[in-house]
């Protein structure tokens, strides 16, 4: 976190609370579930990110109510039920991932359910978007937890996931949501056996998606 030059590690404890280990020269512990007034317990893995627009920290997780929950820090810790805040879209059946987009100063939380990829996004208020429908490609719905990244080269957003066809798929946004079958685009490499993760590299202005294949090798798709 650039605000106070700290490091943060978040996890779900054996008590099903969200815990934080944070470093400011030495390591400390904080029970974020207790700090935010005991919201619903966590199931699955939490995900954390920071937002430089208002200098806040955010931890998102799927609760025992299958709602998407946010714990956020602006000097004190707070709780927000993102499912309720966005008008009760389909409940989550996967773990979320969150990211921010500097192009329009927004926050984004993605998750999978009903074999679609869903997005909860914030631009002053929280809204919902079904990215599978928005991309016009519902024929290869998401099978597991999606990942996401942004690319400053062309000011785009990218969501990657393993489809029910076991291909790696990409939904990407340049003003509209689009679909790309990366497995087909890369010449049919080994199919994934786990969830993909994407990132960018500013050294050579490239995109990278990595995954564990059915051969138990680590594979990279890159552009």
């Amino acid at each position: 976190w650039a605000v106070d030059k700290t490091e943060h590690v978040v996890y779900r404890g054996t008590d099903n609370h969200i815990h934080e280990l944070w470093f400011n020269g030495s390591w400390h512990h904080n029970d974020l579930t207790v700090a935010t007034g005991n919201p619903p317990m966590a199931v699955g893995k939490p995900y954390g990110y920071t937002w430089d627009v208002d200098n806040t920290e955010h931890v998102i997780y799927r609760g025992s109510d299958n709602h998407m929950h946010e714990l956020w820090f602006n000097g004190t810790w707070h709780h927000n039920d993102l499912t309720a805040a966005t008008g009760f879209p389909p409940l989550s059946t996967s773990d979320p991932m969150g990211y921010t987009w500097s192009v329009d100063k927004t926050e984004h939380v993605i998750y999978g359910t009903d074999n679609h990829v869903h997005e909860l996004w914030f631009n002053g208020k929280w809204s919902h978007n079904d990215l599978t429908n928005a991309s016009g490609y519902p024929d290869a719905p998401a099978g597991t937890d999606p990942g996401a990244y942004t690319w400053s080269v062309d000011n785009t957003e990218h969501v990657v996931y393993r489809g029910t066809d076991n291909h790696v798929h990409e939904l990407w946004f340049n003003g509209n949501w689009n679909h790309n079958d990366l497995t087909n685009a890369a010449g049919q490499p080994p199919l994934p056996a786990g969830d993909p993760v994407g990132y960018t590299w500013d050294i050579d202005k490239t995109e990278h998606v990595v995954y564990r294949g059915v051969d138990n090798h680590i594979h990279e798709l890159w552009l």
Side-chain angles (χ1 to χ4, degrees), residues 136-180:
Y137 197 85
D139 295 331
T144 49
D145 301 342
Y149 60 93
T150 62
W151 200 26
S152 60
V153 169
D154 59 1
N155 292 329
T156 52
E157 298 176 82
H158 300 260
V159 175
V160 292
Y161 64 92
R162 178 164 56 105
T164 52
D165 56 358
N166 269 342
H167 284 204
V168 176
H169 292 267
E170 172 194 38
L171 307 178
W172 61 282
F173 182 80
N174 63 348
N176 296 293
W177 281 101
N178 307 275
H179 167 261
N180 195 9

Side-chain angles (χ1 to χ4, degrees), residues 17 27 37-38 100 116 119 131 144 185 222:
H17 285 203
W27 283 99
N38 292 296
T100 64
H116 284 206
E119 171 193 40
L131 300 189
T144 49
W222 65 282

Side-chain angles (χ1 to χ4, degrees), residues 15-20 29-41 61 71 77-79:
D15 56 0
N16 286 329
H17 285 203
I18 301 295
H19 294 268
E20 172 194 38
H29 166 257
N30 195 8
D31 184 325
L32 300 187
T33 299
V34 172
T36 53
N38 292 296
M41 297 289 187
Y61 69 94
L71 311 179
W77 281 99
H78 309 271
H79 165 255

Side-chain angles (χ1 to χ4, degrees), residues 93-106:
T93 56
S94 80
D95 294 329
M97 182 176 179
Y99 65 96
T100 64
W101 198 29
S102 60
V103 170
D104 61 0
K105 297 181 171 60
T106 52

Side-chain angles (χ1 to χ4, degrees), residues 3-36:
V3 170
D4 61 1
K5 298 181 171 62
T6 52
E7 299 175 79
H8 300 259
V9 176
V10 293
Y11 66 94
R12 177 171 60 100
T14 52
D15 56 0
N16 286 329
H17 285 203
I18 301 295
H19 294 268
E20 172 194 38
L21 309 178
W22 63 281
F23 181 81
N24 64 348
S26 58
W27 283 99
H28 309 271
H29 166 257
N30 195 8
D31 184 325
L32 300 187
T33 299
V34 172
T36 53

Side-chain angles (χ1 to χ4, degrees), residues 31-197:
D31 184 325
L32 300 187
T33 299
V34 172
T36 53
N38 292 296
M41 297 289 187
V43 295
K45 297 172 290 188
Y47 191 90
Y49 63 93
T50 62
W51 198 29
D52 59 8
V53 169
D54 60 2
N55 293 329
T56 51
E57 298 176 83
H58 301 259
V59 177
I60 52 175
Y61 69 94
R62 179 166 55 99
S64 54
D65 54 0
N66 281 335
H67 285 205
M68 203 58 66
H69 293 271
E70 172 193 38
L71 311 179
W72 63 281
F73 181 80
N74 65 347
T76 57
W77 281 99
H78 309 271
H79 165 255
N80 194 10
D81 183 329
L82 299 186
T83 300
T86 52
F88 295 94
L91 297 182
S92 176
T93 56
S94 80
D95 294 329
M97 182 176 179
Y99 65 96
T100 64
W101 198 29
S102 60
V103 170
D104 61 0
K105 297 181 171 60
T106 52
E107 297 178 81
H108 301 260
V109 175
I110 58 169
Y111 67 92
T113 195
D114 64 13
N115 279 337
H116 284 206
V117 177
H118 292 266
E119 171 193 40
L120 309 179
W121 63 284
F122 181 81
N123 65 345
K125 66 175 184 178
W126 282 99
S127 304
H128 165 256
N129 196 9
D130 183 324
L131 300 189
T132 301
N133 286 342
S135 66
Y137 197 85
D139 295 331
T144 49
D145 301 342
Y149 60 93
T150 62
W151 200 26
S152 60
V153 169
D154 59 1
N155 292 329
T156 52
E157 298 176 82
H158 300 260
V159 175
V160 292
Y161 64 92
R162 178 164 56 105
T164 52
D165 56 358
N166 269 342
H167 284 204
V168 176
H169 292 267
E170 172 194 38
L171 307 178
W172 61 282
F173 182 80
N174 63 348
N176 296 293
W177 281 101
N178 307 275
H179 167 261
N180 195 9
D181 184 324
L182 298 187
T183 299
N184 285 342
Q188 297 286 330
L191 297 179
D195 296 327
V197 174

